[in-house]
Amino acid sequence: MFIYYQMLSLFKVFMSEDVLEPINKVLMSGQLTQGPKVEEFESALKKYIENPYILTLNSATAGLTLATRLLKNKDEKEQWPGFDEEKDIVLTPALTCFATTAAVLANNVNIRWLDVDLQTCNIDLNDLKNKLNEKTKIIYLVHWGGNPVDLDELDKICEEHKITYGFKPMIVEDCAHSFGAEYDGKKIGSNKNICVFSLQAIKHLTTGDGGFITLPNEELYERCKLLRWYGIDRDKRNYKGKDLRLENDILEYGYKFHMNDVNATIGLYNLPHMDGLLETNRRNAEIFDKKLKNIHGIQLLKTNEKCKSAYWLYTIRVLNGKKSEFVEQMKEANIMTSQVHNRNDINSCVKDFVETLPNLDVLEKEIVCIPVGWWLEDKDIEYIINTIKEIVI
């Protein structure tokens, strides 16, 4: 078998070539922290996602941390009862980057793990429904690989919960995999949930590092704007009208979670390329869908007809206990593969939250992600397909 001499990577950093001059101007301007470029980038994201309530951050982890923090307060206008740290529960997926779990734990709350859907690697909505009760207030989810969860079915479940318990659980969408993904013809992040995106180096849209959060209303947007920068209102700094460097009374403490102008400039010049990158990833995934669907020993994941995946990952199930052998043979053929994220529930720091997750017990022994990105050429796609066929047959 012909073997590539260079590894076909699972990830690659995209950087627009026209960013060099503008980033140099920012570096030499003396304005490096949150400034005009952050505002410009946020405006561009609001237009792209079609949501007026978007704030940039220094990471998606920051956004996921802010999400639960924002929901602790009672909101009578939105019929939200608030969140009691001691009594209430956050439901969260066990199959995800540990950043999701770390952000929830940072809020000093109790969690319950959600099992996975064997067909999608997303949360199992039947398991979710069975775990909802009067104490389950917040639900975290991940759109695995960029393939959106069935948000209509999820909303239906939450509406039923409202009828039974008097409030609708709040949804926090971890969209780290899913920039540019669509559900029912609209971009993920344009709905009424709290959505958090990663702009880390290997994501479709990168700012070097960073993230952003979308909020469902103006009240949460304005509060989040304060909390991302210590709780200080940057627009009203002038202590008693005497000192522009000093802040006025801080009503609620926050964090140093803001983005800076360096990262924002990178984002501004990468953003116009995203539709092209997404189109290429989807084209590559479509080829895999056609060429790998009838291979013995391989099972493909399913997508909802309402969804348009971002395909940050392309995940397959390697059956019959052959996963380790498959991964090793792909490595020998210079094709990088990985499960990408380990199950979070096995870590010592969450030993108090033991849960039986039968689907994940099965799936973790089978799932493998293969390269699908915009950097692959036609010959690379063909090589990956032929290599898989030779390995599993």
Side-chain angles (χ1 to χ4, degrees):
M1 180 179 72
F2 170 76
I3 297 177
Y4 271 37
Y5 288 102
Q6 289 187 327
M7 181 71 73
L8 290 179
S9 180
L10 197 58
F11 305 111
K12 189 173 182 178
V13 176
F14 175 84
M15 192 62 60
S16 178
E17 294 182 1
D18 60 356
V19 75
L20 296 177
E21 183 177 342
I23 202 70
N24 186 61
K25 286 182 179 180
V26 171
L27 290 171
M28 303 308 295
S29 70
Q31 176 64 67
L32 299 182
T33 188
Q34 181 183 338
K37 291 301 180 183
V38 169
E39 292 186 10
E40 188 179 347
F41 184 42
E42 287 179 351
S43 295
L45 288 171
K46 290 172 183 178
K47 183 178 180 180
Y48 185 84
I49 301 291
E50 296 185 340
N51 188 330
Y53 305 126
I54 290 180
L55 294 167
T56 53
L57 304 164
N58 58 18
S59 69
T61 311
L64 294 166
T65 303
L66 283 166
T68 292
R69 170 72 185 276
L70 288 166
L71 297 174
K72 289 184 178 181
N73 290 11
K74 184 177 181 179
D75 188 341
E76 293 183 0
K77 181 182 176 183
E78 298 293 331
Q79 297 181 303
W80 175 244
F83 189 95
D84 188 314
E85 291 181 6
E86 295 183 2
K87 298 179 181 178
D88 292 334
I89 303 291
V90 175
L91 296 178
T92 188
L95 182 62
T96 179
C97 174
F98 193 74
T100 315
T101 301
V104 177
L105 293 175
N107 282 279
N108 192 34
V109 298
N110 297 305
I111 68 174
R112 285 198 72 183
W113 302 111
L114 290 170
D115 208 352
V116 293
D117 184 322
L118 291 169
Q119 304 299 320
T120 65
C121 289
N122 286 328
I123 58 171
D124 182 345
L125 295 181
N126 288 323
D127 185 53
L128 166 67
K129 190 172 183 178
N130 291 333
K131 288 173 179 173
L132 283 175
N133 56 41
E134 71 278 3
K135 294 182 180 180
T136 48
K137 298 277 186 68
I138 302 173
I139 301 166
Y140 276 62
L141 61 84
V142 174
H143 302 297
W144 180 267
N147 180 36
V149 170
D150 188 333
L151 295 174
D152 288 336
E153 183 62 25
L154 176 60
D155 190 62
K156 180 181 176 182
I157 292 170
C158 290
E159 288 289 353
E160 292 173 356
H161 184 278
K162 183 177 181 179
I163 293 171
T164 304
Y165 299 109
F167 67 92
K168 189 175 180 180
M170 292 294 291
I171 307 299
V172 179
E173 299 179 37
D174 182 339
C175 305
H177 297 185
S178 50
F179 181 86
E182 297 180 13
Y183 187 88
D184 205 14
K186 296 181 180 180
K187 291 280 196 309
I188 290 291
S190 63
N191 60 23
K192 293 298 182 180
N193 296 331
I194 296 177
C195 300
V196 180
F197 292 80
S198 173
L199 302 175
Q200 185 260 351
I202 58 174
K203 297 305 191 296
H204 285 331
L205 176 62
T206 182
T207 56
D209 209 350
F212 68 93
I213 185 170
T214 75
L215 289 309
N217 56 56
E218 186 175 1
E219 288 74 22
L220 284 178
Y221 171 78
E222 292 297 335
R223 186 164 161 239
C224 190
K225 187 186 291 186
L226 295 177
L227 294 184
R228 72 169 171 177
W229 207 68
Y230 305 119
I232 298 171
D233 190 335
R234 294 170 63 93
D235 298 324
K236 296 180 180 178
R237 293 179 73 191
N238 189 2
Y239 183 66
K240 297 182 179 179
K242 296 179 180 180
D243 192 329
L244 293 173
R245 283 289 302 171
L246 302 185
E247 61 273 1
N248 288 297
D249 185 28
I250 297 171
L251 302 178
E252 182 182 13
Y253 82 89
Y255 316 88
K256 194 177 191 298
F257 282 170
H258 62 90
M259 182 174 278
N260 62 59
D261 272 13
V262 176
N263 293 129
T265 300
I266 295 172
L268 275 168
Y269 283 83
N270 282 343
L271 183 58
H273 298 273
M274 289 304 103
D275 286 344
L277 266 60
L278 286 160
E279 183 179 347
T280 302
N281 277 49
R282 287 167 178 151
R283 169 191 166 275
N284 293 345
E286 186 177 359
I287 296 173
F288 284 142
D289 286 345
K290 292 178 180 178
K291 301 292 186 179
L292 299 178
K293 65 180 180 180
N294 294 320
I295 297 180
H296 178 72
I298 295 292
Q299 185 172 324
L300 306 185
L301 299 185
K302 292 184 178 180
T303 56
N304 190 322
E305 291 182 357
K306 294 182 180 179
C307 300
K308 199 172 183 181
S309 178
Y311 285 110
W312 184 65
L313 301 174
Y314 190 94
T315 308
I316 62 176
R317 294 173 63 183
V318 181
L319 309 178
N320 306 317
K322 299 291 187 179
K323 175 180 173 177
S324 296
E325 181 182 342
F326 177 87
V327 169
E328 185 59 35
Q329 288 183 282
M330 291 289 276
K331 181 180 178 181
E332 290 174 0
N334 272 339
I335 302 171
M336 181 181 178
T337 64
S338 174
Q339 183 174 307
V340 179
H341 296 314
N342 199 6
R343 58 187 298 169
N344 285 192
D345 61 316
I346 62 174
N347 293 290
S348 298
C349 62
V350 290
K351 64 180 183 298
D352 293 336
F353 308 113
V354 177
E355 194 85 36
T356 300
L357 304 171
N359 288 354
L360 185 53
D361 290 342
V362 171
L363 206 59
E364 71 166 339
K365 296 179 177 65
E366 298 177 348
I367 56 170
V368 179
C369 300
I370 63 175
V372 72
W374 48 268
W375 55 91
L376 299 175
E377 299 179 11
D378 288 345
K379 62 182 178 65
D380 301 328
I381 299 290
E382 183 179 1
Y383 177 66
I384 293 169
I385 293 168
N386 290 337
T387 302
I388 291 173
K389 288 180 178 180
E390 289 190 27
I391 289 174
V392 300
I393 292 176

